[in-house]
């Protein structure tokens, strides 16, 4: 499947540079055409982000850089897309760490519940400034030809379900859909659930048929993907923040002319605020839509701090599991990140 996609992409997305290599030689009149794949579809945050990114690069470069943005679905599953970035079939990708968990062990740090600050704004600040993430974790990804240029939140995650979830016991034997990351599975097993990794492309049907009984996502995604239509409850748990990464193929990026690298870096930094505003607006709008959707009523359960503490208590030992069984650097990135979060929350 992946090689068929590679052939199609190879044929339609050639570099326009005369040298024929990934980055061109940066000469006068040089033009560049890059491919940017996302895990979401038109209207959703990642896709709109990539379109905005492409428009800014086009404008800044006076049309020298054109970026073709690909919606989720056309190029295979989320994990196929990870491979396409690694082998250079696409130059850029918005990627969720949850789909690299079988490869970049340390990236699973984002799977830990109640680690990132409750405030989405403070979480974004951490993602912008953390050395643990922007230096140490970046190096871990680069060993796999993936360079995360930035980390940004798509909002707080909530649970949707076919039966009420308001205490850990409600998860006992519960068939939970997750992304494909061992630590995400571990996090739900800690609540007693029975997690199954699956692409979101199969999720609506699986929820509808009862193959799985629930899932986690930010509210905009729950609404836009219509999961609430085939679920009875939405629990406002804020148990984690959804983190996306703007990634580039490492060799391709390192070989870009300096001015192109700078333009990419500058645009990536500018987009941090844009992404924050976009997710915020979409999450607020979709909460209202779900609340007012009388045709598909969803019972919304807002957990109290006490109820959240019961989940937090079960989730905390998973950090030790991460340190002891998952991390290849003895939990050093998690330790540093915890310190950075504590400092910021002071
Ligand atoms: O649940 C998922 O797998 C999807 N959720 C979001 C918010 N973005 C893309 C991802 O694949």
């Amino acid at each position: 499947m992946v090689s068929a996609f590679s052939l199609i992409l190879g044929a339609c997305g050639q570099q326009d540079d005369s040298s024929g290599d990934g980055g061109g030689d940066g000469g006068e009149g040089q033009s560049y055409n890059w491919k940017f794949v996302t895990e979401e579809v038109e209207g959703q945050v990642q896709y709109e982000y990539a379109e905005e990114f492409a428009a800014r690069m086009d404008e800044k470069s006076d049309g020298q850089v054109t970026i073709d943005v690909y919606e989720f679905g056309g190029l295979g599953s989320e994990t196929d897309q990870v491979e396409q970035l690694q082998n250079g079939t696409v130059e850029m990708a918005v990627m969720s760490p949850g789909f690299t968990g079988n490869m970049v062990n340390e990236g699973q740090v984002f799977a830990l519940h109640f680690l990132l600050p409750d405030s989405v704004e403070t979480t974004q600040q951490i993602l912008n400034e953390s050395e643990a993430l922007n230096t140490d974790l970046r190096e871990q990804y680069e060993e796999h030809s993936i360079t995360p240029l930035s980390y940004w939140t798509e909002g707080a995650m909530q649970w949707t379900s076919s039966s009420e979830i308001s205490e850990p016991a409600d998860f006992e034997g519960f068939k939970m859909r997750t992304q494909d990351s061992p630590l995400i599975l571990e996090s739900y097993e800690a609540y007693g659930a029975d997690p199954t990794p699956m692409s979101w492309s199969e999720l609506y049907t699986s929820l509808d048929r009862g193959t799985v009984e629930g899932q986690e996502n930010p509210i905009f995604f729950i609404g836009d993907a219509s999961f609430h239509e085939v679920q009875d409850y939405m629990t406002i748990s804020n148990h984690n923040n959804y983190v996306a990464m703007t990634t580039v193929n490492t060799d391709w990026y390192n070989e870009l002319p300096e001015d192109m690298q700078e333009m990419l870096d500058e645009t990536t930094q500018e987009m941090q605020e844009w992404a924050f505003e976009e997710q915020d607006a979409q999450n607020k709008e979709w909460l209202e839509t779900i609340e007012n959707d009388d045709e598909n009523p969803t019972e919304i359960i807002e957990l109290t701090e006490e109820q959240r503490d019961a989940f937090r208590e079960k989730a905390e030992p998973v950090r030790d599991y991460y340190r002891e069984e998952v991390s290849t650097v003895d939990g050093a990135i998690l330790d540093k990140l915890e310190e950075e979060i504590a400092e910021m929350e002071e």
Side-chain angles (χ1 to χ4, degrees):
M1 278 292 261
V2 174
S3 47
F5 294 133
S6 307
L7 284 176
I8 295 163
L9 283 172
C12 69
Q14 293 291 340
Q15 291 284 340
D16 294 335
D17 61 286
S18 49
S19 64
D21 65 21
D25 58 12
E28 193 75 9
Q30 184 80 52
S31 63
Y32 301 86
N33 179 233
W34 303 331
K35 292 172 279 296
F36 194 166
V37 70
T38 77
E39 299 166 334
E40 295 177 6
V41 296
E42 200 177 336
Q44 297 177 346
V45 178
Q46 288 187 13
Y47 181 85
E48 295 306 315
Y49 171 98
E51 282 287 9
E52 178 67 23
F53 199 110
R56 289 184 187 210
M57 287 294 291
D58 189 341
E59 196 182 329
K60 275 181 214 246
S61 68
D62 281 331
Q64 201 185 348
V65 177
T66 52
I67 301 180
D68 298 326
V69 175
Y70 293 85
E71 288 189 293
F72 179 67
L75 308 184
S77 70
E78 298 92 339
T79 43
D80 291 335
Q81 294 184 176
V82 173
E83 270 182 54
Q84 287 152 16
L85 184 91
Q86 288 178 291
N87 65 28
T89 308
V90 302
E91 288 84 3
M92 303 184 67
V94 179
M95 197 182 281
S96 303
F99 294 110
T100 61
N102 287 306
M103 181 175 57
V104 187
N105 281 13
E106 308 302 323
Q108 295 186 67
V109 73
F110 295 112
L112 295 169
H113 296 185
F114 302 99
L115 169 67
L116 292 168
D118 287 348
S119 148
V120 183
E121 208 163 355
T122 316
T123 289
Q124 186 56 59
Q125 229 178 315
I126 281 285
L127 298 177
N128 290 345
E129 295 173 21
S130 162
E131 190 182 287
L133 301 178
N134 292 289
T135 304
D136 305 348
L137 184 59
R138 176 170 165 156
E139 281 168 15
Q140 296 286 325
Y141 270 97
E142 285 180 334
E143 284 177 21
H144 299 271
S145 304
I146 299 167
T147 295
L149 294 178
S150 65
Y151 304 88
W152 41 278
T153 178
E154 293 194 66
M157 285 207 274
Q158 321 300 351
W159 293 314
T160 65
S161 52
S162 53
S163 55
E164 179 172 339
I165 294 179
S166 49
E167 55 177 344
D170 296 330
F171 266 127
E172 201 54 54
F174 184 88
K175 289 182 277 174
M176 182 74 179
R177 175 270 171 175
T178 68
Q179 293 184 344
D180 196 0
S181 164
L183 205 71
I184 301 184
L185 270 78
E186 188 71 28
S187 297
Y188 282 99
E189 279 162 6
Y191 297 145
D194 175 16
T196 307
M198 148 188 324
S199 167
W200 82 262
S201 58
E202 298 163 41
L203 187 50
Y204 180 94
T205 310
S206 299
L207 290 169
D208 197 22
R209 292 188 180 152
T211 317
V212 290
E213 299 163 293
Q215 61 85 43
E216 60 174 2
N217 254 308
I219 294 174
F220 87 86
F221 198 76
I222 292 167
D224 200 78
S226 306
F227 297 149
H228 67 293
E229 291 179 9
V230 285
Q231 295 273 263
D232 299 320
Y233 299 88
M234 180 162 78
T235 302
I236 307 297
S237 50
N238 294 325
H239 60 282
N240 200 355
N241 258 264
Y242 194 100
V243 174
M245 310 183 287
T246 299
T247 63
V248 289
N249 174 282
T250 303
D251 287 344
W252 170 82
Y253 174 76
N254 289 341
E255 284 160 22
L256 277 178
E258 213 172 301
D259 59 337
M260 280 299 134
Q261 247 188 36
E262 277 168 14
M263 204 185 287
L264 257 182
D265 289 347
E266 185 190 274
T267 307
T268 306
Q269 288 319 310
E270 282 170 20
M271 287 299 293
Q272 291 298 83
E273 202 178 324
W274 188 95
F276 185 84
E277 300 296 330
E278 183 68 16
Q279 64 77 29
D280 190 49
Q282 288 210 21
N283 279 312
K284 284 185 177 137
E285 211 176 299
W286 272 110
L287 177 59
E288 224 180 291
T289 307
I290 294 171
E291 279 170 342
N292 296 323
D293 185 352
D294 297 332
E295 266 178 49
N296 303 288
T298 305
E299 188 171 329
I300 299 178
I301 302 162
E302 196 154 346
L303 296 186
T304 62
E305 268 319 297
E306 212 182 335
Q307 286 173 311
R308 292 181 75 234
D309 282 346
F311 288 100
R312 196 192 307 269
E313 205 176 297
K314 298 262 177 205
E316 256 165 26
V318 184
R319 294 192 198 185
D320 296 331
Y321 180 85
Y322 172 88
R323 285 191 175 92
E324 286 153 24
E325 306 292 332
V326 176
S327 174
T328 53
V329 291
D330 295 327
I333 292 180
L334 173 58
D335 293 343
K336 199 192 243 188
L337 183 60
E338 280 181 332
E339 277 169 32
E340 290 169 339
I341 292 171
E343 251 172 59
M344 192 158 289
E345 282 187 323
E346 252 171 33

